[in-house]
Amino acid sequence: MTQRGEDNPAGPVGPVRRTDVLPEQTQTRQRNQSNPVDRVSESSTSENESSSAQDTELKYGAEAVINLFIPVTACMIFVIASVQCLSSYSGQQKQTVSFIYTPFHPADDDSAGTIIWQTVANSLIMISVIAVMTFVLVLLYKYECNMLLGGWLIFSTMTLIFMFGYFYLQQILKVNNAALDWVTLGIVMWNFGIVGIICIHWKGPLFLQQCYLIISAALMALIFIKMLPNWTTWLILAFLSIWDLIAVLCPYGPLNMLLQLANDREDELFPALIYSSGAGIAVPTVMVTTSAGTFLAPLLGMAETSDPSPQEEVQVRQPRSQRSSERTRTDERREGVKLGLGDFIFYSVLVGKASQLHDWNITLACILSILVGLSTTLIILAFFKKPLPALPISLTLGLIFYFTTTYVIAPFMDLCIMKQVFL
Amino acid sequence: MDLSDPKVKNSDKLAICRKFFFGGFAFLPWLWLVNGVWFFREAYFKEPFDEQIRIRKYVMYSIIGATVWIAGLTAWNCVFQMNRASWGATGDVLSAYIPVGIP
């Protein structure tokens, strides 16, 4: 034995172990064979249930975060790239056209008091318009004016994709000084728009639908960045996060009522107003949404959603999802988390506006703070399992970091570099 | 929507493929391309089912149609970009955006 040990240290261990273990193994095997079904199945199901319950919560958390990070980051990158490359969005040109909802345009040389009251007035007007239109949307949904609602939404999607897409294409041509003929332009815009509407409002590949939603959110964000006066943008973002909190969490908030109505009717809630990372199953318990998507509506008479008529697939899936014990792996995989389109828009507005300063420190700080806010919201969602507003935490963090970085950190870093504190 | 969802019936898939195919005749080569790519796996890499032959037909025609359109557009664009300046007034009428500077 010892010799074997010297030659092969594992030698004595192996056989010794095997001889020790074998009787026990046979004993356990005999015991298992005697009550194979009961014992094994009990232990396995209890293990499975506890582990699958844990797994579901954990898996849902990590996967959902990643599934939302990618589109949010993609939208932000698109907006930042456009702001950097296309001069029309970079805030250097004097804005002659503006929204009718922001009638006051403080000039740079006005006194601080003038700027402040004009900014506050602009923001209050904008927020009240949003609030009114959200209530109108909820009322239309409540009294089932489906034709009006559907028509309004399709009209708004069309305006968004065609008009803003055409404007974006013009900017690209202008920057590259490239010629394009009417034939090609017409065909490209027609195709882009019609396939977009088909994918968003009817049926299409999920990936393409997600891409179109991201593109329309980015185009909307670019228009905001272009049209809103500087300080108004920041104040609107601040007011919006407060409004979002009220609208989703308060009992009489419009979005709360909307979600309750949709829940009661067991209806799919505006699939085109909401980005879904999964295959479009409406599981309201895991939905994170925001009022801001509906806010698109008032701006240019537009909003994005599809007709809220109940669809067969959803009604079949809804009762299934409520019986969680019968949840299969495929259902878990396809339960995506949903994020309202307005969230994409306002995250991108914040980041795009920050990138207008052409300082990457500020832009990166804002991107990271928004992503951290989003993951925090998702963690809270995993605990509370009811629809939550996605704007407040992210926008608060984003605004804090924007102003801190711009006025404190960036000058500090510049000074450190100038004084060569870090070599 | 997710084609691998077992709740989506084959007849539904055929209906969508067919609608996309006929929709593409309205000057929508991108719709044909989307149709072809989306249903490609269903048509050629799945176990044979009843409607697969018709889906294959629509997918093939969609892809051919899209290829023809792309070839045509590419040819037209090459011609236009190279000769736009020499066409004078016609070139300006045809252009949606006229670049600044000397061509």
Side-chain angles (χ1 to χ4, degrees):
Chain A
M1 290 282 265
T2 45
Q3 280 178 348
R4 267 166 121 200
E6 282 168 8
D7 293 338
N8 184 4
V13 181
V16 167
R17 269 206 186 151
R18 272 188 227 130
T19 48
D20 280 346
V21 168
L22 205 53
E24 280 177 18
Q25 277 183 348
T26 48
Q27 281 176 9
T28 49
R29 252 184 245 141
Q30 284 167 358
R31 260 184 272 139
N32 278 343
Q33 280 167 6
S34 61
N35 300 327
V37 177
D38 299 338
R39 252 184 100 237
V40 173
S41 61
E42 266 177 41
S43 61
S44 66
T45 42
S46 62
E47 274 175 20
N48 279 352
E49 275 173 15
S50 59
S51 63
S52 70
Q54 281 177 356
D55 279 350
T56 314
E57 226 179 285
L58 290 174
K59 213 184 340 167
Y60 153 61
E63 252 186 74
V65 171
I66 294 176
N67 279 338
L68 284 184
F69 267 22
I70 296 178
V72 169
T73 319
C75 191
M76 292 199 286
I77 289 178
F78 184 84
V79 168
I80 292 175
S82 308
V83 165
Q84 298 287 324
C85 298
L86 304 176
S87 57
S88 165
Y89 295 118
S90 65
Q92 284 150 2
Q93 296 173 358
K94 191 85 174 54
Q95 208 33 55
T96 45
V97 189
S98 66
F99 290 143
I100 57 169
Y101 304 102
T102 53
F104 304 109
H105 309 292
D108 285 335
D109 48 353
D110 278 345
S111 64
T114 318
I115 294 181
I116 289 178
W117 79 257
Q118 286 189 338
T119 307
V120 172
N122 274 343
S123 313
L124 285 177
I125 295 176
M126 192 69 123
I127 290 285
S128 35
V129 168
I130 296 173
V132 163
M133 296 313 289
T134 315
F135 274 110
V136 167
L137 194 77
V138 173
L139 285 175
L140 282 182
Y141 187 62
K142 185 169 178 182
Y143 293 113
E144 299 197 18
C145 313
N146 287 340
M147 294 281 294
L148 192 60
L149 202 52
W152 185 27
L153 297 171
I154 294 186
F155 168 70
S156 52
T157 323
M158 274 177 58
T159 320
L160 182 67
I161 293 188
F162 280 111
M163 217 167 82
F164 295 154
Y166 176 56
F167 181 72
Y168 190 78
L169 192 57
Q170 267 187 328
Q171 300 308 311
I172 293 184
L173 290 177
K174 203 179 283 186
V175 164
N176 291 315
N177 209 24
L180 193 65
D181 57 303
W182 284 113
V183 177
T184 315
L185 178 75
I187 290 181
V188 163
M189 284 311 305
W190 174 243
N191 274 274
F192 181 69
I194 296 292
V195 175
I197 291 178
I198 291 177
C199 280
I200 294 177
H201 290 274
W202 192 52
K203 295 185 172 91
L206 181 67
F207 179 66
L208 201 63
Q209 182 186 17
Q210 293 171 334
C211 286
Y212 268 110
L213 286 173
I214 293 177
I215 288 176
S216 31
L219 288 175
M220 195 75 215
L222 285 170
I223 290 296
F224 280 141
I225 293 174
K226 182 181 166 64
M227 300 286 223
L228 293 175
N230 275 331
W231 287 102
T232 313
T233 317
W234 302 114
L235 202 58
I236 284 181
L237 288 175
F239 282 176
L240 261 177
S241 51
I242 301 175
W243 163 249
D244 204 20
L245 214 51
I246 297 175
V248 176
L249 293 180
C250 291
Y252 282 110
L255 287 189
N256 209 339
M257 295 200 295
L258 196 64
L259 292 169
Q260 293 227 346
L261 284 172
N263 216 351
D264 294 339
R265 295 184 198 173
E266 293 207 343
D267 198 355
E268 198 172 270
L269 185 64
F270 302 155
L273 189 64
I274 291 176
Y275 175 95
S276 67
S277 54
I281 300 179
V283 183
T285 53
V286 295
M287 195 161 54
V288 174
T289 183
T290 174
S291 63
T294 59
F295 145 79
L296 294 178
L299 268 200
L300 296 149
M302 78 177 62
E304 299 172 25
T305 155
S306 75
D307 60 307
S309 55
Q311 297 177 11
E312 247 189 337
E313 306 169 288
V314 176
Q315 284 180 336
V316 170
R317 279 176 203 148
Q318 275 278 29
R320 274 196 69 185
S321 63
Q322 282 162 6
R323 284 177 277 145
S324 56
S325 56
E326 294 182 25
R327 226 179 245 174
T328 60
R329 286 189 66 90
T330 48
D331 265 6
E332 281 171 11
R333 236 192 304 130
R334 272 186 265 118
E335 260 175 40
V337 180
K338 296 172 178 247
L339 189 62
L341 218 56
D343 296 322
F344 282 90
I345 294 175
F346 290 107
Y347 293 164
S348 307
V349 166
L350 189 142
V351 166
K353 207 73 186 167
S355 76
Q356 277 187 344
L357 297 174
H358 293 287
D359 187 348
W360 285 107
N361 284 329
I362 303 176
T363 315
L364 282 175
C366 290
I367 293 177
L368 285 176
S369 52
I370 285 182
L371 292 180
V372 165
L374 182 63
S375 38
T376 314
T377 314
L378 286 172
I379 291 175
I380 301 178
L381 181 71
F383 280 124
F384 282 109
K385 291 191 171 58
K386 49 178 252 189
L388 289 179
L391 281 183
I393 302 181
S394 288
L395 285 190
T396 316
L397 280 179
L399 286 172
I400 291 175
F401 275 94
Y402 172 77
F403 286 109
T404 322
T405 316
T406 313
Y407 293 112
V408 175
I409 298 182
F412 174 67
M413 292 304 299
D414 288 342
L415 210 54
C416 282
I417 292 173
M418 278 201 292
K419 302 285 185 191
Q420 298 202 332
V421 171
F422 314 108
L423 269 175
Chain B
M1 59 177 296
D2 190 6
L3 284 185
S4 59
D5 185 357
K7 290 206 186 65
V8 178
K9 298 193 276 287
N10 289 330
S11 54
D12 292 338
K13 292 179 192 170
L14 177 64
I16 295 176
C17 193
R18 199 166 161 271
K19 283 184 186 148
F20 272 30
F21 174 67
F22 285 115
F25 281 108
F27 298 97
L28 291 169
W30 174 228
L31 190 61
W32 271 338
L33 193 60
V34 166
N35 193 20
V37 169
W38 191 22
F39 284 99
F40 194 73
R41 182 168 289 167
E42 293 288 321
Y44 293 104
F45 293 108
K46 275 254 164 91
E47 304 294 323
F49 50 92
D50 286 339
E51 295 88 347
Q52 200 186 34
I53 300 177
R54 296 181 66 189
I55 290 186
R56 271 192 198 174
K57 186 180 76 163
Y58 288 130
V59 165
M60 193 165 53
Y61 287 159
S62 297
I63 293 182
I64 292 176
T67 318
V68 166
W69 262 100
I70 290 174
L73 275 177
T74 316
W76 161 245
N77 262 295
C78 290
V79 166
F80 178 76
Q81 294 290 343
M82 290 200 323
N83 298 332
R84 180 187 58 84
S86 60
W87 280 345
T90 324
D92 284 348
V93 164
L94 275 176
S95 302
Y97 176 75
I98 301 174
V100 296
I102 302 172

